[in-house]
Amino acid sequence: MTDLPAVDPSDPIQPAAQAARLDALEAAVRARSDLVPELGIVLGSGLGSLADDLEGAVAIGFDELPGWPAATAPGHAGRLMLGRLGGRPVVLLQGRFHLYEGNDPGLVVQPVLLFRRLGATAVVLTNAAGGLDPGFGPGTLMLISDHINLTGRNPLVGHNDDDMGARFTDMTEAWSPRLRARLRAAAMAEGVELAEGVYVGLVGPNYETPAEVRMLAALGGHAVGMSTVVECVAARWAGLEVCGVSLVTNAGAGYTGVPLTHEEVLAAGAEAGPRLARVIRRFVTDFER
Ligand code: HPA
């Protein structure tokens, strides 16, 4: 279902155009489910298994929603799901839209804006990432303490909608200290080790060169990936509390001398994904607004 015209890259979705698109998205979701989520969760590469735990799940394919294309990234199911996790009403995004797929930043962030529209007040962003910190090997779970947006893209460029968010969005505590403390507590309760650090977002889709990995580490990054940062920006704009975890699937390029493959990224996601799922399930169960 695509009632809205495809996005023309020379005519990006401006912040002021989001409300009308969200009206259509909200109506399409409400035709299928009246569940009001407290929390939204974006499941990254290979992390989709949490969706299996959803009780009373309603699943809506991305391409069934107005203006949304099917997900193209391997390892991404491409579904919006509503249901209960640990008894709490949540909305899940199984897969996401990436800039590297040629998507407009305004589309990439629409799922988190839709979470807000549906009633969520907080969002959990997960992703697969490469380790920039030499101590972060495959399988490391990294609580995101902050980010560096090196995508060169920003979903807030263009006419603002002051009813949705401020023109100049504060990012001082973009990654909520309150929710980070709760994620640490959830990990502790589950006996899962959680590292912590700064996520660097690039456009991709190629992996980094070893020189880029050294540069990003020198800039203060601890993990690098191809998602998350513009979603965080839009979520903060729209007043959502944000937290997230990177699943480090591989050491950054050049650290091991072995080429990176998407298969190893998916394999590490499959190995560590259930650990991350346990942490998130506990976090959701204990969540307080
Ligand atoms: N770089 C960027 N994105 C990634 C990586 C990486 O090494 N691993 C998984 N996603």
Side-chain angles (χ1 to χ4, degrees), residues 128-130 207-208 224-226 249-250 260 265:
Y207 294 118
E208 299 69 39
V224 57
M226 308 174 192
T249 54
N250 55 277
L260 307 184
V265 168

Side-chain angles (χ1 to χ4, degrees), residues 45 127-132 199-200 202 204-208 213 216 223-227 247-253 260-262 264-266:
S45 288
N127 56 59
L132 297 171
Y199 176 89
V200 182
L202 305 184
N206 60 291
Y207 294 118
E208 299 69 39
V213 164
L216 299 174
V224 57
M226 308 174 192
S227 67
L247 194 170
V248 176
T249 54
N250 55 277
L260 307 184
T261 67
H262 187 60
E264 90 180 287
V265 168
L266 293 182

